[in-house]
Every structure is written in C-alpha cells, then in structure tokens.
Amino acid sequence: MRDSALILLTLNEIEGLRALWDQLPIGEFREVIGLDGGSTDGTQEFFKEKGIPVVVQPIRGRGVAFRCAAEAASSERLVFFSPDGNEDPADIVRLDDCLIAGADVAIARRFGPGAVNEEDGELLKLRARVNDTLSQVANRLFSTGQPRVYDTINGFRALRRKALLELDTTVKRFPIEYQITIRSLQRGWRIDEVPTKEGQRIGGERKAASWPVGVDHLKVLLTELPRSRLFA
Ligand SMILES: Nc1nc2c(ncn2[C@@H]2O[C@H](COP(=O)(O)OP(=O)(O)OP(=O)(O)O)[C@@H](O)[C@H]2O)c(=O)[nH]1
Ligand SMILES: [Mg+2]
C-alpha cells in the first residue's frame, strides 16, 4: 500500500468516472479523495457509493481544488488525476514513484520523446503549439538549471503536500499547474516527467475553453515575471 493520496478532480465527469473506475489503482493508495467542483450529474453520489470521501469546493476552479486537496489530505504525497479520458490511469503509480525516488514534482508529459498528444486537426495542433511555447518560455525564464520540462501546464501530476503548501499558489482556475511549475522551477526543485499518451475525452463537457484559458496562462506568466531570471 502506498502512503500517498490519490486525488480525483471532478466537475460533472460521471461518464468518464464510470468508464475508468475499474482501471484506477484505488486499493493501492492509503487515501483516496473525490475533490469535486460542485457536480450535479451524479459524480458525488458515485463516489459515495464507492465509499470514497468527497470534498466539495466552496468555489469552483482547479486552483481552488488543488489547495482544498492539500488541506483535506493527510498523506505527504498527492497524485492528481482527472477522470475525463485524457489521462492514462497506468501513469498514476508512475508519478507517485517519481516522488518516492526523490522528485518534488512529477508531471505526465504529452510532449517530447515517447509522448503522444491527443491534439489532432488544425485548431488542436495550434493548441499544442501554444502549450509548447508556454513551456519553452517558462523554462527559459524560470529554470535554475534543471533538465527541460516539456509539459509545464499538464494537470496530470503529483507533488508533495508540503511543497504545494509552500508554493503559496494564488491561481483560482485552470492555469494553477503553470503557476506550480513556474514556482517549482524558480526554487530549483526537482521536476520529473513521465511520457504519457493523452486520450480523448469520454462524455461530459470540456470546462477549459481554449482562448480564455490561453489568456489566463499569459496572465500567470506576467504575475510571475518579477521572480524570473530577467529580474534576478
Ligand atoms: N475539482 C474540480 N475539477 C475541475 C474543475 N474544473 C474542471 N475540473 C476537472 O478537471 C479536468 C480537466 O478539465 P477539462 O474540462 O477536461 O479540461 P481540458 O482537459 O483542458 O479539456 P478537454 O481537452 O476537453 O478534456 C476534468 O476532470 C474536470 O472535471 C473544478 O472547478 N474543480
Ligand atoms: Mg480534459
């Protein structure tokens, strides 16, 4: 049994949750928490049926969810998984293994050698290029000499509870992951990545509209800029 917490991040993901449930390594984790953004589609009831404690956020947003998880969990290692079909359940234990091996943060990367990204079609390829650019900029501005981080914004990741609290994050919505990666780079922390295969969404609806979320990432970049190498 792993002395870690598996955090399932959901906002109306009943279809994905049902489809993926049997692939999740529930029994391997000492602690499993359904961290819910206020689902009304039966997601919360599903967790309860399975005997999984549910934490419902006071306000929506993935950033809020990360901070609620750090408060609610008692384990020192946290693995965040979103059961919407994009993330491969087989990587859950791999991410935890990176932390066990000494990483401060572990990210499932959709880019770089051996990785597969779901983005197909012109608009989605553009989205992949934007993601890649955001990562290159983050490495250039904030790295303190760590190996390149290919996927600075992916939500499928693990980190130490203490590290998450220490980062003192402020982002409320989607770009929380970008802020976490930037602040971890800037502190010189060890960031491991495991190549992943991103799958297609299973049912439900996307909550991250591309353009507004893209702009939100740029805002995070601007907020963090004073801590960058440009001002060192
Ligand atoms: N707890 C919590 N989870 C959220 C919140 N917003 C989104 N999520 C979950 O975060 C995951 C990622 O959101 P998506 O809408 O799939 O974003 P995305 O992966 O960029 O978009 P797709 O490519 O369409 O899947 C999903 O499992 C959502 O249910 C929130 O406010 N709170
Ligand atoms: Mg998704």
mmCIF file of all heavy atoms in Angstrom, residues 137-181:
data_model
loop_
_atom_site.group_PDB
_atom_site.id
_atom_site.type_symbol
_atom_site.label_atom_id
_atom_site.label_comp_id
_atom_site.label_asym_id
_atom_site.label_seq_id
_atom_site.Cartn_x
_atom_site.Cartn_y
_atom_site.Cartn_z
ATOM 1 N N VAL A 137 8.904 29.080 -22.832
ATOM 2 C CA VAL A 137 9.082 30.374 -22.167
ATOM 3 C C VAL A 137 9.327 30.162 -20.667
ATOM 4 O O VAL A 137 10.225 30.770 -20.070
ATOM 5 C CB VAL A 137 7.841 31.282 -22.395
ATOM 6 C CG1 VAL A 137 7.916 32.533 -21.541
ATOM 7 C CG2 VAL A 137 7.707 31.649 -23.865
ATOM 8 N N ALA A 138 8.557 29.265 -20.061
ATOM 9 C CA ALA A 138 8.713 29.019 -18.621
ATOM 10 C C ALA A 138 10.114 28.501 -18.307
ATOM 11 O O ALA A 138 10.758 28.948 -17.352
ATOM 12 C CB ALA A 138 7.657 28.025 -18.140
ATOM 13 N N ASN A 139 10.608 27.562 -19.138
ATOM 14 C CA ASN A 139 11.953 27.028 -18.906
ATOM 15 C C ASN A 139 13.000 28.136 -19.007
ATOM 16 O O ASN A 139 13.891 28.249 -18.185
ATOM 17 C CB ASN A 139 12.282 25.933 -19.923
ATOM 18 C CG ASN A 139 11.668 24.600 -19.556
ATOM 19 O OD1 ASN A 139 12.185 23.879 -18.723
ATOM 20 N ND2 ASN A 139 10.530 24.276 -20.148
ATOM 21 N N ARG A 140 12.845 28.948 -20.052
ATOM 22 C CA ARG A 140 13.842 29.980 -20.287
ATOM 23 C C ARG A 140 13.875 31.025 -19.182
ATOM 24 O O ARG A 140 14.921 31.490 -18.758
ATOM 25 C CB ARG A 140 13.547 30.674 -21.607
ATOM 26 C CG ARG A 140 14.772 30.543 -22.480
ATOM 27 C CD ARG A 140 14.589 31.043 -23.813
ATOM 28 N NE ARG A 140 14.651 29.890 -24.717
ATOM 29 C CZ ARG A 140 14.536 29.987 -26.007
ATOM 30 N NH1 ARG A 140 14.319 31.143 -26.554
ATOM 31 N NH2 ARG A 140 14.630 28.925 -26.747
ATOM 32 N N LEU A 141 12.682 31.393 -18.708
ATOM 33 C CA LEU A 141 12.629 32.489 -17.741
ATOM 34 C C LEU A 141 12.844 32.052 -16.298
ATOM 35 O O LEU A 141 13.315 32.837 -15.481
ATOM 36 C CB LEU A 141 11.267 33.200 -17.827
ATOM 37 C CG LEU A 141 11.011 34.032 -19.073
ATOM 38 C CD1 LEU A 141 9.606 34.622 -19.023
ATOM 39 C CD2 LEU A 141 12.034 35.154 -19.180
ATOM 40 N N PHE A 142 12.484 30.807 -15.974
ATOM 41 C CA PHE A 142 12.461 30.456 -14.556
ATOM 42 C C PHE A 142 13.378 29.305 -14.168
ATOM 43 O O PHE A 142 13.602 29.084 -12.980
ATOM 44 C CB PHE A 142 11.025 30.131 -14.122
ATOM 45 C CG PHE A 142 10.075 31.276 -14.322
ATOM 46 C CD1 PHE A 142 9.274 31.353 -15.452
ATOM 47 C CD2 PHE A 142 10.008 32.301 -13.394
ATOM 48 C CE1 PHE A 142 8.413 32.425 -15.658
ATOM 49 C CE2 PHE A 142 9.155 33.377 -13.592
ATOM 50 C CZ PHE A 142 8.355 33.439 -14.723
ATOM 51 N N SER A 143 13.903 28.562 -15.152
ATOM 52 C CA SER A 143 14.721 27.403 -14.796
ATOM 53 C C SER A 143 15.990 27.844 -14.083
ATOM 54 O O SER A 143 16.605 28.850 -14.426
ATOM 55 C CB SER A 143 15.087 26.618 -16.060
ATOM 56 O OG SER A 143 16.007 25.603 -15.713
ATOM 57 N N THR A 144 16.367 27.065 -13.082
ATOM 58 C CA THR A 144 17.625 27.345 -12.390
ATOM 59 C C THR A 144 18.638 26.271 -12.754
ATOM 60 O O THR A 144 19.518 25.950 -11.973
ATOM 61 C CB THR A 144 17.398 27.375 -10.860
ATOM 62 O OG1 THR A 144 16.574 26.258 -10.514
ATOM 63 C CG2 THR A 144 16.732 28.648 -10.424
ATOM 64 N N GLY A 145 18.457 25.672 -13.939
ATOM 65 C CA GLY A 145 19.410 24.687 -14.428
ATOM 66 C C GLY A 145 18.874 23.267 -14.436
ATOM 67 O O GLY A 145 19.615 22.334 -14.737
ATOM 68 N N GLN A 146 17.599 23.098 -14.107
ATOM 69 C CA GLN A 146 17.008 21.755 -14.155
ATOM 70 C C GLN A 146 16.923 21.276 -15.605
ATOM 71 O O GLN A 146 16.960 22.076 -16.538
ATOM 72 C CB GLN A 146 15.565 21.776 -13.607
ATOM 73 C CG GLN A 146 15.430 22.114 -12.148
ATOM 74 C CD GLN A 146 15.005 23.560 -11.982
ATOM 75 O OE1 GLN A 146 15.431 24.445 -12.728
ATOM 76 N NE2 GLN A 146 14.161 23.818 -11.004
ATOM 77 N N PRO A 147 16.775 19.939 -15.789
ATOM 78 C CA PRO A 147 16.509 19.441 -17.139
ATOM 79 C C PRO A 147 15.221 20.090 -17.672
ATOM 80 O O PRO A 147 14.351 20.458 -16.888
ATOM 81 C CB PRO A 147 16.290 17.936 -16.931
ATOM 82 C CG PRO A 147 16.866 17.623 -15.592
ATOM 83 C CD PRO A 147 16.826 18.870 -14.784
ATOM 84 N N ARG A 148 15.144 20.210 -18.982
ATOM 85 C CA ARG A 148 13.975 20.834 -19.598
ATOM 86 C C ARG A 148 12.660 20.170 -19.158
ATOM 87 O O ARG A 148 12.577 18.943 -19.113
ATOM 88 C CB ARG A 148 14.113 20.710 -21.116
ATOM 89 C CG ARG A 148 12.888 21.147 -21.857
ATOM 90 C CD ARG A 148 13.101 21.080 -23.347
ATOM 91 N NE ARG A 148 11.853 21.346 -24.026
ATOM 92 C CZ ARG A 148 11.682 21.264 -25.340
ATOM 93 N NH1 ARG A 148 12.695 20.912 -26.112
ATOM 94 N NH2 ARG A 148 10.519 21.525 -25.877
ATOM 95 N N VAL A 149 11.671 20.986 -18.855
ATOM 96 C CA VAL A 149 10.334 20.459 -18.564
ATOM 97 C C VAL A 149 9.509 20.644 -19.839
ATOM 98 O O VAL A 149 9.304 21.763 -20.299
ATOM 99 C CB VAL A 149 9.680 21.203 -17.372
ATOM 100 C CG1 VAL A 149 8.277 20.671 -17.102
ATOM 101 C CG2 VAL A 149 10.546 21.072 -16.117
ATOM 102 N N TYR A 150 9.055 19.558 -20.410
ATOM 103 C CA TYR A 150 8.361 19.611 -21.706
ATOM 104 C C TYR A 150 6.900 20.050 -21.585
ATOM 105 O O TYR A 150 6.351 20.662 -22.467
ATOM 106 C CB TYR A 150 8.379 18.230 -22.370
ATOM 107 C CG TYR A 150 9.707 17.856 -22.979
ATOM 108 C CD1 TYR A 150 10.660 17.184 -22.233
ATOM 109 C CD2 TYR A 150 10.000 18.194 -24.297
ATOM 110 C CE1 TYR A 150 11.879 16.829 -22.787
ATOM 111 C CE2 TYR A 150 11.209 17.846 -24.864
ATOM 112 C CZ TYR A 150 12.154 17.164 -24.102
ATOM 113 O OH TYR A 150 13.355 16.825 -24.654
ATOM 114 N N ASP A 151 6.240 19.653 -20.490
ATOM 115 C CA ASP A 151 4.809 19.927 -20.365
ATOM 116 C C ASP A 151 4.535 20.632 -19.041
ATOM 117 O O ASP A 151 4.143 20.024 -18.055
ATOM 118 C CB ASP A 151 4.026 18.606 -20.448
ATOM 119 C CG ASP A 151 2.559 18.824 -20.773
ATOM 120 O OD1 ASP A 151 2.081 19.977 -20.619
ATOM 121 O OD2 ASP A 151 1.890 17.861 -21.180
ATOM 122 N N THR A 152 4.758 21.944 -19.057
ATOM 123 C CA THR A 152 4.649 22.707 -17.807
ATOM 124 C C THR A 152 3.218 22.902 -17.352
ATOM 125 O O THR A 152 2.977 23.295 -16.219
ATOM 126 C CB THR A 152 5.294 24.104 -17.971
ATOM 127 O OG1 THR A 152 4.663 24.750 -19.087
ATOM 128 C CG2 THR A 152 6.785 24.000 -18.218
ATOM 129 N N ILE A 153 2.232 22.652 -18.260
ATOM 130 C CA ILE A 153 0.854 23.012 -17.897
ATOM 131 C C ILE A 153 -0.059 21.813 -17.662
ATOM 132 O O ILE A 153 -1.212 21.989 -17.287
ATOM 133 C CB ILE A 153 0.215 23.937 -18.963
ATOM 134 C CG1 ILE A 153 -0.091 23.170 -20.243
ATOM 135 C CG2 ILE A 153 1.107 25.126 -19.255
ATOM 136 C CD1 ILE A 153 -0.916 24.005 -21.212
ATOM 137 N N ASN A 154 0.434 20.603 -17.857
ATOM 138 C CA ASN A 154 -0.489 19.469 -17.705
ATOM 139 C C ASN A 154 -0.938 19.297 -16.257
ATOM 140 O O ASN A 154 -0.161 19.424 -15.326
ATOM 141 C CB ASN A 154 0.156 18.171 -18.205
ATOM 142 C CG ASN A 154 -0.895 17.117 -18.518
ATOM 143 O OD1 ASN A 154 -2.097 17.429 -18.572
ATOM 144 N ND2 ASN A 154 -0.475 15.888 -18.709
ATOM 145 N N GLY A 155 -2.234 18.981 -16.132
ATOM 146 C CA GLY A 155 -2.818 18.823 -14.804
ATOM 147 C C GLY A 155 -2.550 17.472 -14.183
ATOM 148 O O GLY A 155 -2.723 17.293 -12.981
ATOM 149 N N PHE A 156 -2.134 16.503 -15.000
ATOM 150 C CA PHE A 156 -1.882 15.148 -14.504
ATOM 151 C C PHE A 156 -0.493 15.152 -13.889
ATOM 152 O O PHE A 156 0.515 15.117 -14.602
ATOM 153 C CB PHE A 156 -1.980 14.169 -15.672
ATOM 154 C CG PHE A 156 -2.023 12.718 -15.277
ATOM 155 C CD1 PHE A 156 -2.239 12.318 -13.966
ATOM 156 C CD2 PHE A 156 -1.869 11.733 -16.246
ATOM 157 C CE1 PHE A 156 -2.289 10.988 -13.617
ATOM 158 C CE2 PHE A 156 -1.921 10.395 -15.915
ATOM 159 C CZ PHE A 156 -2.124 10.023 -14.593
ATOM 160 N N ARG A 157 -0.448 15.231 -12.581
ATOM 161 C CA ARG A 157 0.831 15.426 -11.885
ATOM 162 C C ARG A 157 0.737 15.008 -10.435
ATOM 163 O O ARG A 157 -0.338 14.766 -9.907
ATOM 164 C CB ARG A 157 1.248 16.896 -11.981
ATOM 165 C CG ARG A 157 0.207 17.848 -11.417
ATOM 166 C CD ARG A 157 0.647 19.309 -11.476
ATOM 167 N NE ARG A 157 1.005 19.739 -12.815
ATOM 168 C CZ ARG A 157 1.888 20.701 -13.086
ATOM 169 N NH1 ARG A 157 2.471 21.343 -12.097
ATOM 170 N NH2 ARG A 157 2.170 21.048 -14.325
ATOM 171 N N ALA A 158 1.890 14.931 -9.821
ATOM 172 C CA ALA A 158 1.958 14.589 -8.401
ATOM 173 C C ALA A 158 2.904 15.551 -7.723
ATOM 174 O O ALA A 158 3.859 16.020 -8.344
ATOM 175 C CB ALA A 158 2.464 13.161 -8.239
ATOM 176 N N LEU A 159 2.611 15.869 -6.493
ATOM 177 C CA LEU A 159 3.568 16.667 -5.734
ATOM 178 C C LEU A 159 3.428 16.454 -4.248
ATOM 179 O O LEU A 159 2.419 15.932 -3.777
ATOM 180 C CB LEU A 159 3.554 18.149 -6.124
ATOM 181 C CG LEU A 159 2.403 19.077 -5.884
ATOM 182 C CD1 LEU A 159 2.904 20.509 -5.979
ATOM 183 C CD2 LEU A 159 1.345 18.882 -6.947
ATOM 184 N N ARG A 160 4.499 16.812 -3.557
ATOM 185 C CA ARG A 160 4.460 16.669 -2.110
ATOM 186 C C ARG A 160 3.507 17.701 -1.535
ATOM 187 O O ARG A 160 3.488 18.836 -1.988
ATOM 188 C CB ARG A 160 5.864 16.881 -1.523
ATOM 189 C CG ARG A 160 6.806 15.828 -1.951
ATOM 190 C CD ARG A 160 8.202 15.975 -1.426
ATOM 191 N NE ARG A 160 8.997 14.976 -2.111
ATOM 192 C CZ ARG A 160 8.966 13.687 -1.802
ATOM 193 N NH1 ARG A 160 8.237 13.274 -0.780
ATOM 194 N NH2 ARG A 160 9.654 12.818 -2.504
ATOM 195 N N ARG A 161 2.768 17.266 -0.542
ATOM 196 C CA ARG A 161 1.788 18.151 0.088
ATOM 197 C C ARG A 161 2.487 19.389 0.640
ATOM 198 O O ARG A 161 2.029 20.517 0.461
ATOM 199 C CB ARG A 161 1.085 17.363 1.191
ATOM 200 C CG ARG A 161 -0.029 18.074 1.826
ATOM 201 C CD ARG A 161 -0.799 17.167 2.772
ATOM 202 N NE ARG A 161 -1.548 18.004 3.665
ATOM 203 C CZ ARG A 161 -1.075 18.481 4.807
ATOM 204 N NH1 ARG A 161 0.125 18.159 5.229
ATOM 205 N NH2 ARG A 161 -1.818 19.275 5.550
ATOM 206 N N LYS A 162 3.624 19.151 1.276
ATOM 207 C CA LYS A 162 4.376 20.255 1.885
ATOM 208 C C LYS A 162 4.830 21.251 0.819
ATOM 209 O O LYS A 162 4.794 22.458 1.029
ATOM 210 C CB LYS A 162 5.605 19.682 2.606
ATOM 211 C CG LYS A 162 5.852 20.265 3.958
ATOM 212 C CD LYS A 162 6.897 19.473 4.730
ATOM 213 C CE LYS A 162 8.268 19.565 4.081
ATOM 214 N NZ LYS A 162 9.256 18.657 4.678
ATOM 215 N N ALA A 163 5.229 20.708 -0.343
ATOM 216 C CA ALA A 163 5.689 21.570 -1.436
ATOM 217 C C ALA A 163 4.536 22.435 -1.938
ATOM 218 O O ALA A 163 4.688 23.641 -2.155
ATOM 219 C CB ALA A 163 6.252 20.713 -2.567
ATOM 220 N N LEU A 164 3.380 21.814 -2.094
ATOM 221 C CA LEU A 164 2.219 22.553 -2.591
ATOM 222 C C LEU A 164 1.859 23.686 -1.628
ATOM 223 O O LEU A 164 1.591 24.819 -2.048
ATOM 224 C CB LEU A 164 1.028 21.589 -2.776
ATOM 225 C CG LEU A 164 -0.284 22.184 -3.274
ATOM 226 C CD1 LEU A 164 -0.103 22.968 -4.557
ATOM 227 C CD2 LEU A 164 -1.330 21.085 -3.502
ATOM 228 N N LEU A 165 1.892 23.400 -0.338
ATOM 229 C CA LEU A 165 1.566 24.442 0.644
ATOM 230 C C LEU A 165 2.618 25.552 0.612
ATOM 231 O O LEU A 165 2.290 26.736 0.641
ATOM 232 C CB LEU A 165 1.474 23.836 2.048
ATOM 233 C CG LEU A 165 0.276 22.896 2.268
ATOM 234 C CD1 LEU A 165 0.404 22.153 3.597
ATOM 235 C CD2 LEU A 165 -1.041 23.660 2.212
ATOM 236 N N GLU A 166 3.885 25.136 0.482
ATOM 237 C CA GLU A 166 4.972 26.116 0.499
ATOM 238 C C GLU A 166 4.915 27.067 -0.700
ATOM 239 O O GLU A 166 5.311 28.229 -0.603
ATOM 240 C CB GLU A 166 6.317 25.368 0.522
ATOM 241 C CG GLU A 166 7.491 26.297 0.776
ATOM 242 C CD GLU A 166 8.828 25.585 0.589
ATOM 243 O OE1 GLU A 166 8.937 24.414 0.996
ATOM 244 O OE2 GLU A 166 9.743 26.217 0.018
ATOM 245 N N LEU A 167 4.401 26.567 -1.830
ATOM 246 C CA LEU A 167 4.361 27.403 -3.039
ATOM 247 C C LEU A 167 3.395 28.577 -2.897
ATOM 248 O O LEU A 167 3.465 29.547 -3.636
ATOM 249 C CB LEU A 167 3.974 26.570 -4.265
ATOM 250 C CG LEU A 167 5.043 25.621 -4.777
ATOM 251 C CD1 LEU A 167 4.522 24.848 -5.979
ATOM 252 C CD2 LEU A 167 6.321 26.359 -5.143
ATOM 253 N N ASP A 168 2.441 28.441 -1.968
ATOM 254 C CA ASP A 168 1.541 29.545 -1.678
ATOM 255 C C ASP A 168 0.845 30.047 -2.963
ATOM 256 O O ASP A 168 0.879 31.243 -3.269
ATOM 257 C CB ASP A 168 2.369 30.681 -1.034
ATOM 258 C CG ASP A 168 1.516 31.536 -0.120
ATOM 259 O OD1 ASP A 168 0.402 31.106 0.225
ATOM 260 O OD2 ASP A 168 1.962 32.649 0.217
ATOM 261 N N THR A 169 0.266 29.118 -3.702
ATOM 262 C CA THR A 169 -0.327 29.442 -5.002
ATOM 263 C C THR A 169 -1.551 30.347 -4.851
ATOM 264 O O THR A 169 -2.210 30.351 -3.814
ATOM 265 C CB THR A 169 -0.747 28.159 -5.748
ATOM 266 O OG1 THR A 169 -1.649 27.432 -4.922
ATOM 267 C CG2 THR A 169 0.445 27.304 -6.104
ATOM 268 N N THR A 170 -1.836 31.079 -5.926
ATOM 269 C CA THR A 170 -2.936 32.048 -5.876
ATOM 270 C C THR A 170 -3.966 31.841 -6.990
ATOM 271 O O THR A 170 -5.075 32.370 -6.905
ATOM 272 C CB THR A 170 -2.377 33.481 -6.034
ATOM 273 O OG1 THR A 170 -1.587 33.503 -7.227
ATOM 274 C CG2 THR A 170 -1.527 33.863 -4.842
ATOM 275 N N VAL A 171 -3.589 31.091 -8.044
ATOM 276 C CA VAL A 171 -4.473 30.963 -9.205
ATOM 277 C C VAL A 171 -5.728 30.173 -8.824
ATOM 278 O O VAL A 171 -5.637 29.143 -8.168
ATOM 279 C CB VAL A 171 -3.732 30.245 -10.362
ATOM 280 C CG1 VAL A 171 -4.685 29.904 -11.490
ATOM 281 C CG2 VAL A 171 -2.587 31.102 -10.866
ATOM 282 N N LYS A 172 -6.897 30.669 -9.246
ATOM 283 C CA LYS A 172 -8.149 30.018 -8.858
ATOM 284 C C LYS A 172 -8.623 28.976 -9.864
ATOM 285 O O LYS A 172 -9.266 28.017 -9.523
ATOM 286 C CB LYS A 172 -9.256 31.074 -8.691
ATOM 287 C CG LYS A 172 -9.023 31.998 -7.515
ATOM 288 C CD LYS A 172 -10.290 32.790 -7.190
ATOM 289 C CE LYS A 172 -10.098 33.666 -5.968
ATOM 290 N NZ LYS A 172 -9.039 34.683 -6.127
ATOM 291 N N ARG A 173 -8.260 29.193 -11.131
ATOM 292 C CA ARG A 173 -8.864 28.338 -12.150
ATOM 293 C C ARG A 173 -7.852 27.444 -12.853
ATOM 294 O O ARG A 173 -7.029 26.818 -12.204
ATOM 295 C CB ARG A 173 -9.656 29.222 -13.120
ATOM 296 C CG ARG A 173 -10.790 29.945 -12.387
ATOM 297 C CD ARG A 173 -11.410 31.013 -13.236
ATOM 298 N NE ARG A 173 -12.161 30.430 -14.309
ATOM 299 C CZ ARG A 173 -13.459 30.178 -14.258
ATOM 300 N NH1 ARG A 173 -14.143 30.472 -13.179
ATOM 301 N NH2 ARG A 173 -14.070 29.656 -15.274
ATOM 302 N N PHE A 174 -7.899 27.387 -14.194
ATOM 303 C CA PHE A 174 -7.097 26.386 -14.909
ATOM 304 C C PHE A 174 -5.573 26.528 -14.840
ATOM 305 O O PHE A 174 -4.904 25.507 -14.708
ATOM 306 C CB PHE A 174 -7.544 26.279 -16.370
ATOM 307 C CG PHE A 174 -8.650 25.289 -16.527
ATOM 308 C CD1 PHE A 174 -9.965 25.683 -16.565
ATOM 309 C CD2 PHE A 174 -8.357 23.926 -16.569
ATOM 310 C CE1 PHE A 174 -10.991 24.748 -16.667
ATOM 311 C CE2 PHE A 174 -9.374 22.985 -16.664
ATOM 312 C CZ PHE A 174 -10.692 23.408 -16.715
ATOM 313 N N PRO A 175 -5.036 27.734 -14.952
ATOM 314 C CA PRO A 175 -3.561 27.734 -15.067
ATOM 315 C C PRO A 175 -2.823 27.481 -13.754
ATOM 316 O O PRO A 175 -1.643 27.782 -13.649
ATOM 317 C CB PRO A 175 -3.238 29.129 -15.609
ATOM 318 C CG PRO A 175 -4.488 29.891 -15.618
ATOM 319 C CD PRO A 175 -5.588 29.081 -15.052
ATOM 320 N N ILE A 176 -3.483 26.887 -12.763
ATOM 321 C CA ILE A 176 -2.814 26.561 -11.499
ATOM 322 C C ILE A 176 -1.544 25.744 -11.742
ATOM 323 O O ILE A 176 -0.519 25.959 -11.112
ATOM 324 C CB ILE A 176 -3.779 25.797 -10.535
ATOM 325 C CG1 ILE A 176 -3.089 25.466 -9.206
ATOM 326 C CG2 ILE A 176 -4.339 24.523 -11.151
ATOM 327 C CD1 ILE A 176 -2.683 26.639 -8.375
ATOM 328 N N GLU A 177 -1.632 24.828 -12.722
ATOM 329 C CA GLU A 177 -0.487 23.952 -12.964
ATOM 330 C C GLU A 177 0.720 24.742 -13.470
ATOM 331 O O GLU A 177 1.851 24.435 -13.133
ATOM 332 C CB GLU A 177 -0.844 22.863 -13.991
ATOM 333 C CG GLU A 177 -1.813 21.819 -13.462
ATOM 334 C CD GLU A 177 -3.276 22.196 -13.623
ATOM 335 O OE1 GLU A 177 -3.565 23.299 -14.155
ATOM 336 O OE2 GLU A 177 -4.132 21.388 -13.228
ATOM 337 N N TYR A 178 0.435 25.757 -14.288
ATOM 338 C CA TYR A 178 1.522 26.591 -14.828
ATOM 339 C C TYR A 178 2.208 27.335 -13.681
ATOM 340 O O TYR A 178 3.429 27.388 -13.609
ATOM 341 C CB TYR A 178 0.923 27.564 -15.843
ATOM 342 C CG TYR A 178 1.900 28.166 -16.832
ATOM 343 C CD1 TYR A 178 2.920 27.423 -17.408
ATOM 344 C CD2 TYR A 178 1.775 29.512 -17.208
ATOM 345 C CE1 TYR A 178 3.794 27.990 -18.324
ATOM 346 C CE2 TYR A 178 2.639 30.085 -18.132
ATOM 347 C CZ TYR A 178 3.650 29.312 -18.683
ATOM 348 O OH TYR A 178 4.515 29.877 -19.603
ATOM 349 N N GLN A 179 1.409 27.860 -12.772
ATOM 350 C CA GLN A 179 1.996 28.574 -11.628
ATOM 351 C C GLN A 179 2.825 27.629 -10.758
ATOM 352 O O GLN A 179 3.930 27.976 -10.321
ATOM 353 C CB GLN A 179 0.891 29.230 -10.777
ATOM 354 C CG GLN A 179 1.466 30.124 -9.688
ATOM 355 C CD GLN A 179 0.400 30.816 -8.854
ATOM 356 O OE1 GLN A 179 -0.576 30.198 -8.446
ATOM 357 N NE2 GLN A 179 0.593 32.104 -8.592
ATOM 358 N N ILE A 180 2.316 26.422 -10.535
ATOM 359 C CA ILE A 180 3.062 25.440 -9.729
ATOM 360 C C ILE A 180 4.398 25.122 -10.389
ATOM 361 O O ILE A 180 5.445 25.113 -9.741
ATOM 362 C CB ILE A 180 2.222 24.149 -9.543
ATOM 363 C CG1 ILE A 180 1.061 24.407 -8.582
ATOM 364 C CG2 ILE A 180 3.094 22.999 -9.034
ATOM 365 C CD1 ILE A 180 0.070 23.246 -8.464
ATOM 366 N N THR A 181 4.383 24.877 -11.703
ATOM 367 C CA THR A 181 5.628 24.520 -12.394
ATOM 368 C C THR A 181 6.615 25.686 -12.372
ATOM 369 O O THR A 181 7.799 25.505 -12.088
ATOM 370 C CB THR A 181 5.347 24.101 -13.851
ATOM 371 O OG1 THR A 181 4.318 23.121 -13.858
ATOM 372 C CG2 THR A 181 6.595 23.526 -14.509
#
